[in-house]
Each structure stands twice: as structure tokens, then as C-alpha cells.
């Protein structure tokens, strides 16, 4: 289990206060589907995902990305018990959706890159380390149902 210090939580909170979570989430999910096309198989009900343009303009992709990153942001309130907080989602992704848990880490990596593009110099190595430590804790909690 990953432990975040009060300063690290403060850094993560600052990141979320400086980005548009809905936009960032939608862009990050779209990037995941474009860069790692095998992840599209989990989104067959989202309609046309056959091209970069179709993915970038797909309202369901944008909405789901916003929902996912919103849940990640809200997890900061439950940082002491991320496993318990994400238990239901972990079980859903593992037992019903059969999502490869490696995809969570791929998404987290894209989110970190997008945050860096958005925050630029404010995304210092220290802030990036705190943010990625938090994302690692979230992805570990989401993968808990696979163990």
C-alpha cells in the first residue's frame, strides 16, 4: 500500500485545482484509445472508434474520460483507504469487464503527460513525483480485484 504524505496530497490537490478535469479526462481517454488501439475493445458500445478523428469527437469517450478522471480526483478525499474506496470498481473491471489492469497504468501515464502539457513549468519534478505516486496508488487500488 502506498502512503502519501500531507505535502504530497497538497501537491496533488494543487494539480487538480489547476486543470480542467473534464477536458483532461476526455483528452486522456481519447489518447489512450488512439495510442493503444487494443484498449478500444472495452468500449464497443461507444459507437465509431475507427479513426483518430472519430475518437477525438466521440461524446461518449469525452464523457467517460471526464467521469474517470473525476473519480480519480475525488479519490484524494479517501487517500487513506483507496482499496476500500475503489473495491466496487475494481471488482467490476476485473470480474465483469475483464479490463487488463495494465491499462490503468497506461491511462495514468497519459494523464501525467497531459498534466505536464497543461501546467508546463508549474509541473515541477517534485509535483510530478507526488502526482504520479498518487496515480500509482489509485491504479494499485483498481487492480486489487485481480489479486
Amino acid at each position: 500500500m502506498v502512503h502519501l504524505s500531507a505535502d504530497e496530497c497538497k501537491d496533488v490537490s494543487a494539480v487538480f485545482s489547476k486543470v480542467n478535469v473534464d477536458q483532461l479526462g476526455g483528452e486522456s481517454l481519447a489518447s489512450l484509445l488512439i495510442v493503444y488501439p487494443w484498449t478500444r475493445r472495452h468500449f464497443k458500445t461507444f459507437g465509431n472508434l475507427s479513426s483518430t478523428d472519430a475518437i477525438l469527437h466521440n461524446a461518449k469517450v469525452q464523457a467517460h474520460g471526464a467521469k474517470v478522471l473525476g473519480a480519480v480526483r475525488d479519490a484524494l478525499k479517501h487517500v487513506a483507504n483507496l482499496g476500500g474506496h475503489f473495491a466496487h470498481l475494481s471488482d467490476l473491471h476485473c470480474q465483469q469487464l475483464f479490463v487488463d489492469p495494465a491499462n490503468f497504468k497506461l491511462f495514468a501515464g497519459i494523464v501525467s503527460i497531459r498534466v505536464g502539457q497543461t501546467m508546463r513549468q508549474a509541473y515541477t519534478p517534485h509535483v510530478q513525483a507526488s502526482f504520479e505516486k498518487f496515480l500509482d496508488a489509485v491504479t494499485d487500488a483498481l487492480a486489487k480485484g485481480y489479486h
Side-chain angles (χ1 to χ4, degrees):
M1 181 160 120
V2 177
H3 173 75
L4 272 77
S5 69
D7 285 342
E8 290 168 331
C9 288
K10 184 178 172 184
D11 289 340
V12 174
S13 182
V15 167
F16 282 121
S17 73
K18 294 176 183 175
V19 299
N20 179 327
V21 172
D22 291 346
Q23 180 181 353
L24 182 67
E27 290 173 353
S28 296
L29 182 57
S31 293
L32 177 79
L33 299 174
I34 293 164
V35 176
Y36 304 104
W38 63 85
T39 61
R40 296 178 197 172
R41 71 183 183 92
H42 300 291
F43 299 95
K44 292 178 182 174
T45 62
F46 280 28
N48 183 8
L49 301 176
S50 64
S51 69
T52 297
D53 191 55
I55 293 168
L56 290 172
H57 295 95
N58 186 304
K60 289 183 179 181
V61 169
Q62 297 300 315
H64 190 66
K67 180 179 180 179
V68 169
L69 197 56
V72 171
R73 176 200 55 212
D74 294 346
L76 191 55
K77 300 172 193 165
H78 306 278
V79 73
N81 185 21
L82 289 174
H85 179 69
F86 282 118
H88 173 71
L89 281 175
S90 178
D91 289 343
L92 173 70
H93 284 81
C94 173
Q95 297 172 12
Q96 293 178 25
L97 301 175
F98 308 110
V99 174
D100 182 343
N103 293 347
F104 303 141
K105 293 203 181 285
L106 295 175
F107 180 75
I110 290 171
V111 169
S112 182
I113 290 166
R114 291 284 182 173
V115 167
Q117 290 172 326
T118 302
M119 292 180 60
R120 301 191 181 269
Q121 290 84 358
Y123 200 49
T124 64
H126 176 79
V127 171
Q128 181 181 0
S130 296
F131 190 67
E132 289 183 359
K133 184 176 178 181
F134 172 69
L135 292 176
D136 285 345
V138 169
T139 61
D140 287 349
L142 285 168
K144 191 174 183 178
Y146 296 81
H147 303 293

